[in-house]
Amino acid sequence: MRGKQLMSCTRREVILTTAALLMAGTPANSDTAAAAAKEPVGQPTYPEIASGDPESPEFHGPCVMGATPGRDFLFQVPHTGLAPLVVSASGLPAGLRMNDTGLITGKIERAGVYKVRLTAVNRAGNARRTLRIVAGAHKLALTPPMGWNSWYAYSTGNTAALTRAAGDALVKKGLAAKGFMYVNLDDGWQGGRSASGEIRPTAKFGDMHKLIAHIHRLGLRFGIYSSPGPKTCAGHTGSWGHELLDARTYARWGVDFLKYDWCSYRIEVPRHPDLEQYIKPYAVMRRALDSVDRDMFFSLCQYGMSHVWTWGGKAPVFGNMWRTSGDIIDTWQAISHNGFDSERQLYPFAGPGHWNDPCMLMLGYGKFRSGFLRPTRLTPHEQQLQVTLWCMLAAPLVLSCDLERLDPFTLDLVTNTEVLAVDQDEMGIQGQCVDRQAGGIEVWARPLWDGTVAAAIFNRGPKAQRGHIASWDMLTPVLRAGAKPLLGSQPVRDLWKRKSLGEMRSFIAPVLSHGAVLLKIGTSRQTES
Ligand code: GAL
């Protein structure tokens, strides 16, 4: 039966089982909750999160994808399910084709919005989804990008072999199947310029064409890094005076994403630049990118200066994301600062095509700027909190660790379909804090495309605390004008556990120190459009 259901964006509808209905409406007794929340001592504890995927087919990742007509298009539709599995599509725009693994390639002929009906079939069932393809100028990044970046994993020690291995691992470990599609080089790949001024990779990268072709063959996209200054932050060659040439070189290599980092550009501007001076280097590179025949996602990295969120997404820059703070690192303080404090007021500035970027996910095994490979210093609860918060913020989800060494817990953290669907929600409304409670509890909420609301309860305090949503009214401030408010009793689903909790009028639960609970509240009006 299940396989026959019409699968759409947030595929798992809130279906109340009899057991769930019996549990419904009874918020946890507060004494029991307090007892259950006793702070553990000694060994780290792990949050209880769901693991694995069903054998029947499921689609994942973005439900909307943008591109410029006439330019190369490559999108591997993320999906899971027992092999052999066949994906088919109807309604593809003229110029695109799809093979039976769900790899869509070609060049869209005409601008427009296309509704593509996808079907996946295996012996355990089938799944359907509508993928919206939006073709036009500046239509990239309609949901936040998901992928991998080399910086915290290998710093400037990255090589072509490590980058290829990262791409292979995205596929092998099932991350690509969940929507992680960018393999991005950070600083340290640049080997200087040729006599004609063309940027060259260092010997560690050899033939860029070959490396990028490998990543594309995996159905993934490739990102690169530069600076508008003469030097990058790690002292390598920047794009200063060579913007157009660099954009052309990237396009020729097949690059899909550019992170453009302010770095030494600071010596090119006065001590206190005015707004125009802040915008200029990004406008120059945007002009260069627009003049080449390739779609490249434009990521602005200048640490939030001059309120970049107010201008980064607009003409003449058309940035697709911008860092809102300094470099993150794998400590609770950094997660707290970049995630909660820097983003708190920024929800009005994010949306389809342009995202606030609180920096990368501090998960797994990497160098994390320490000079040697080691596991993240975040506790398992802090790791879960970071993923929860980043999804609530509609933030880019960029892993930056040795993907070969992902342990099962970390893998479960970043492959939970229902949690990722919050990040990738096609309405693209960034969450905001709706309540602060004693002991460091914060409640954040964001409305989702299907009429439900995602709500997270975070505990920023040093001790376990009960957090609550006293009534669904608390979530009303995040609803769009005219949206139906959540009233009375509503279905509640725990997204980390992928479990329906029944109908409730309010919610209360213990949250461990630096931990998080993520809920989806309301009835999904899932209609296949
Ligand atoms: C920083 C940037 C980091 C990383 C580094 C490379 O400015 O914020 O994310 O790219 O440069 O040198």
Short mmCIF file of all heavy atoms in Angstrom, two decimals, residues 149 151-152 156 186-188 225 232-236 259 261-263 301-303 323 325-328 359-360 369, ligand 1:
data_model
loop_
_atom_site.label_atom_id
_atom_site.label_comp_id
_atom_site.label_asym_id
_atom_site.label_seq_id
_atom_site.Cartn_x
_atom_site.Cartn_y
_atom_site.Cartn_z
N ASN A 149 32.79 20.62 1.64
CA ASN A 149 33.84 21.60 1.38
C ASN A 149 35.13 21.09 2.03
O ASN A 149 35.11 20.47 3.10
CB ASN A 149 33.41 22.96 1.97
CG ASN A 149 34.52 24.00 1.94
OD1 ASN A 149 35.53 23.87 2.63
ND2 ASN A 149 34.32 25.05 1.15
N TRP A 151 37.70 22.64 3.43
CA TRP A 151 38.50 23.46 4.34
C TRP A 151 38.74 22.84 5.72
O TRP A 151 39.87 22.68 6.17
CB TRP A 151 37.89 24.86 4.47
CG TRP A 151 38.76 25.77 5.29
CD1 TRP A 151 38.46 26.34 6.49
CD2 TRP A 151 40.10 26.18 4.97
NE1 TRP A 151 39.51 27.09 6.93
CE2 TRP A 151 40.54 27.01 6.02
CE3 TRP A 151 40.96 25.93 3.91
CZ2 TRP A 151 41.80 27.58 6.04
CZ3 TRP A 151 42.22 26.50 3.92
CH2 TRP A 151 42.63 27.31 4.98
N TYR A 152 37.66 22.49 6.43
CA TYR A 152 37.86 21.96 7.79
C TYR A 152 38.34 20.51 7.77
O TYR A 152 38.89 20.02 8.75
CB TYR A 152 36.58 22.08 8.61
CG TYR A 152 36.25 23.52 8.93
CD1 TYR A 152 35.41 24.27 8.12
CD2 TYR A 152 36.81 24.14 10.05
CE1 TYR A 152 35.13 25.60 8.39
CE2 TYR A 152 36.54 25.47 10.33
CZ TYR A 152 35.70 26.19 9.51
OH TYR A 152 35.44 27.50 9.79
N THR A 156 44.77 23.42 3.78
CA THR A 156 45.47 23.57 2.50
C THR A 156 46.16 22.26 2.08
O THR A 156 46.84 22.20 1.06
CB THR A 156 46.52 24.69 2.55
OG1 THR A 156 47.32 24.48 3.72
CG2 THR A 156 45.86 26.06 2.64
N ASP A 186 38.14 24.39 -1.28
CA ASP A 186 38.35 25.67 -0.61
C ASP A 186 39.76 26.15 -0.93
O ASP A 186 40.35 25.74 -1.94
CB ASP A 186 38.07 25.53 0.89
CG ASP A 186 37.61 26.83 1.53
OD1 ASP A 186 38.47 27.68 1.78
OD2 ASP A 186 36.40 27.02 1.75
N ASP A 187 40.31 26.97 -0.09
CA ASP A 187 41.61 27.59 -0.34
C ASP A 187 42.72 26.54 -0.50
O ASP A 187 42.68 25.48 0.11
CB ASP A 187 41.95 28.50 0.86
CG ASP A 187 42.81 29.66 0.47
OD1 ASP A 187 43.32 29.66 -0.65
OD2 ASP A 187 42.96 30.57 1.30
N GLY A 188 43.71 26.88 -1.33
CA GLY A 188 44.91 26.04 -1.39
C GLY A 188 45.06 25.25 -2.68
O GLY A 188 46.02 24.51 -2.82
N TYR A 225 37.12 28.03 -5.16
CA TYR A 225 37.27 29.12 -4.19
C TYR A 225 38.25 30.15 -4.72
O TYR A 225 39.28 29.80 -5.29
CB TYR A 225 37.81 28.50 -2.89
CG TYR A 225 38.33 29.47 -1.86
CD1 TYR A 225 37.54 29.87 -0.79
CD2 TYR A 225 39.63 29.99 -1.95
CE1 TYR A 225 38.04 30.75 0.17
CE2 TYR A 225 40.12 30.86 -1.00
CZ TYR A 225 39.32 31.24 0.06
OH TYR A 225 39.80 32.11 1.01
N THR A 232 44.51 35.05 -1.50
CA THR A 232 43.43 34.46 -0.70
C THR A 232 43.84 34.52 0.77
O THR A 232 44.96 34.94 1.10
CB THR A 232 43.20 33.00 -1.09
OG1 THR A 232 44.40 32.27 -0.75
CG2 THR A 232 42.89 32.85 -2.56
N CYS A 233 42.96 34.06 1.63
CA CYS A 233 43.26 34.14 3.07
C CYS A 233 44.47 33.28 3.44
O CYS A 233 45.19 33.59 4.38
CB CYS A 233 42.05 33.73 3.89
SG CYS A 233 40.69 34.90 3.70
N ALA A 234 44.69 32.19 2.70
CA ALA A 234 45.86 31.34 2.99
C ALA A 234 47.06 31.75 2.15
O ALA A 234 48.04 31.01 2.06
CB ALA A 234 45.51 29.87 2.78
N GLY A 235 46.98 32.91 1.49
CA GLY A 235 48.14 33.45 0.79
C GLY A 235 48.32 32.94 -0.64
O GLY A 235 49.38 33.11 -1.24
N HIS A 236 47.29 32.32 -1.21
CA HIS A 236 47.39 31.85 -2.60
C HIS A 236 46.89 32.93 -3.56
O HIS A 236 46.35 33.95 -3.14
CB HIS A 236 46.62 30.54 -2.76
CG HIS A 236 47.21 29.45 -1.93
ND1 HIS A 236 48.19 28.61 -2.40
CD2 HIS A 236 47.00 29.10 -0.64
CE1 HIS A 236 48.54 27.76 -1.44
NE2 HIS A 236 47.83 28.05 -0.35
N LYS A 259 32.99 30.14 -4.34
CA LYS A 259 33.02 30.84 -3.03
C LYS A 259 34.05 31.95 -3.17
O LYS A 259 35.20 31.70 -3.53
CB LYS A 259 33.42 29.86 -1.93
CG LYS A 259 33.68 30.49 -0.58
CD LYS A 259 33.93 29.42 0.48
CE LYS A 259 34.45 29.99 1.79
NZ LYS A 259 34.76 28.94 2.78
N ASP A 261 35.99 34.96 -1.40
CA ASP A 261 36.34 35.31 -0.02
C ASP A 261 37.13 36.62 0.02
O ASP A 261 38.21 36.72 -0.58
CB ASP A 261 37.17 34.13 0.53
CG ASP A 261 37.36 34.19 2.02
OD1 ASP A 261 36.98 35.21 2.64
OD2 ASP A 261 37.89 33.20 2.58
N TRP A 262 36.64 37.59 0.73
CA TRP A 262 37.17 38.95 0.80
C TRP A 262 38.70 38.99 1.01
O TRP A 262 39.43 39.65 0.29
CB TRP A 262 36.44 39.66 1.95
CG TRP A 262 36.77 41.08 2.21
CD1 TRP A 262 37.69 41.54 3.10
CD2 TRP A 262 36.18 42.23 1.61
NE1 TRP A 262 37.70 42.92 3.10
CE2 TRP A 262 36.78 43.37 2.19
CE3 TRP A 262 35.19 42.43 0.65
CZ2 TRP A 262 36.43 44.67 1.84
CZ3 TRP A 262 34.84 43.73 0.30
CH2 TRP A 262 35.45 44.82 0.89
N CYS A 263 39.20 38.35 2.06
CA CYS A 263 40.64 38.22 2.37
C CYS A 263 41.44 39.49 2.10
O CYS A 263 41.15 40.54 2.64
CB CYS A 263 41.25 37.05 1.60
SG CYS A 263 40.47 35.48 1.93
N CYS A 301 31.71 35.44 0.66
CA CYS A 301 32.31 35.20 1.97
C CYS A 301 33.01 36.48 2.37
O CYS A 301 34.06 36.83 1.82
CB CYS A 301 33.28 34.02 1.86
SG CYS A 301 34.11 33.61 3.40
N GLN A 302 32.39 37.24 3.25
CA GLN A 302 33.05 38.44 3.78
C GLN A 302 32.59 38.67 5.21
O GLN A 302 32.64 39.77 5.71
CB GLN A 302 32.89 39.65 2.85
CG GLN A 302 31.49 39.92 2.32
CD GLN A 302 30.67 40.76 3.26
OE1 GLN A 302 30.27 40.27 4.33
NE2 GLN A 302 30.37 41.99 2.89
N TYR A 303 32.15 37.56 5.83
CA TYR A 303 31.95 37.47 7.29
C TYR A 303 30.85 38.39 7.83
O TYR A 303 30.85 38.72 9.01
CB TYR A 303 33.29 37.71 8.03
CG TYR A 303 34.50 37.51 7.13
CD1 TYR A 303 35.34 38.57 6.77
CD2 TYR A 303 34.75 36.25 6.58
CE1 TYR A 303 36.40 38.39 5.89
CE2 TYR A 303 35.81 36.07 5.70
CZ TYR A 303 36.63 37.14 5.35
OH TYR A 303 37.66 36.96 4.48
N ARG A 323 28.04 34.55 3.93
CA ARG A 323 28.39 34.26 5.33
C ARG A 323 27.88 35.42 6.18
O ARG A 323 28.02 36.59 5.81
CB ARG A 323 29.89 34.08 5.44
CG ARG A 323 30.34 32.69 5.00
CD ARG A 323 30.37 31.74 6.17
NE ARG A 323 31.31 32.28 7.12
CZ ARG A 323 32.64 32.15 7.01
NH1 ARG A 323 33.15 31.44 6.04
NH2 ARG A 323 33.43 32.71 7.88
N SER A 325 28.74 35.63 9.51
CA SER A 325 29.63 35.80 10.67
C SER A 325 31.03 35.29 10.30
O SER A 325 31.25 34.81 9.19
CB SER A 325 29.08 35.02 11.87
OG SER A 325 28.54 33.79 11.46
N GLY A 326 31.94 35.34 11.28
CA GLY A 326 33.31 34.87 11.06
C GLY A 326 33.36 33.35 10.92
O GLY A 326 32.33 32.67 10.94
N ASP A 327 34.56 32.82 10.82
CA ASP A 327 34.73 31.37 10.65
C ASP A 327 34.21 30.62 11.87
O ASP A 327 34.52 30.96 13.00
CB ASP A 327 36.21 31.04 10.48
CG ASP A 327 36.75 31.54 9.17
OD1 ASP A 327 36.11 32.41 8.55
OD2 ASP A 327 37.82 31.07 8.77
N ILE A 328 33.49 29.56 11.60
CA ILE A 328 33.02 28.70 12.68
C ILE A 328 34.17 27.77 13.09
O ILE A 328 35.16 27.65 12.37
CB ILE A 328 31.79 27.90 12.21
CG1 ILE A 328 30.96 27.43 13.41
CG2 ILE A 328 32.17 26.75 11.29
CD1 ILE A 328 29.57 26.96 13.03
N CYS A 359 28.02 29.32 8.19
CA CYS A 359 29.26 28.54 8.01
C CYS A 359 28.97 27.03 8.09
O CYS A 359 27.81 26.63 8.11
CB CYS A 359 30.33 28.98 9.01
SG CYS A 359 32.01 28.76 8.39
N MET A 360 30.01 26.23 8.13
CA MET A 360 29.84 24.80 7.83
C MET A 360 29.44 23.95 9.04
O MET A 360 29.47 24.41 10.17
CB MET A 360 31.14 24.27 7.24
CG MET A 360 31.51 25.01 5.96
SD MET A 360 33.09 24.46 5.34
CE MET A 360 33.84 26.02 4.90
N ARG A 369 41.00 23.09 11.61
CA ARG A 369 42.05 24.11 11.75
C ARG A 369 43.10 23.77 12.83
O ARG A 369 43.84 24.64 13.27
CB ARG A 369 41.42 25.48 12.05
CG ARG A 369 40.58 25.95 10.91
CD ARG A 369 40.26 27.43 10.87
NE ARG A 369 40.48 28.19 12.05
CZ ARG A 369 39.55 28.95 12.63
NH1 ARG A 369 38.34 29.02 12.12
NH2 ARG A 369 39.83 29.66 13.69
C1 GAL B 1 38.37 32.22 5.49
C2 GAL B 1 37.00 31.66 5.24
C3 GAL B 1 37.05 30.17 5.48
C4 GAL B 1 38.06 29.55 4.57
C5 GAL B 1 39.42 30.23 4.73
C6 GAL B 1 40.41 29.75 3.69
O1 GAL B 1 38.36 33.60 5.28
O2 GAL B 1 36.08 32.28 6.09
O3 GAL B 1 35.77 29.59 5.30
O4 GAL B 1 37.60 29.65 3.24
O5 GAL B 1 39.30 31.62 4.59
O6 GAL B 1 41.63 30.44 3.77
#
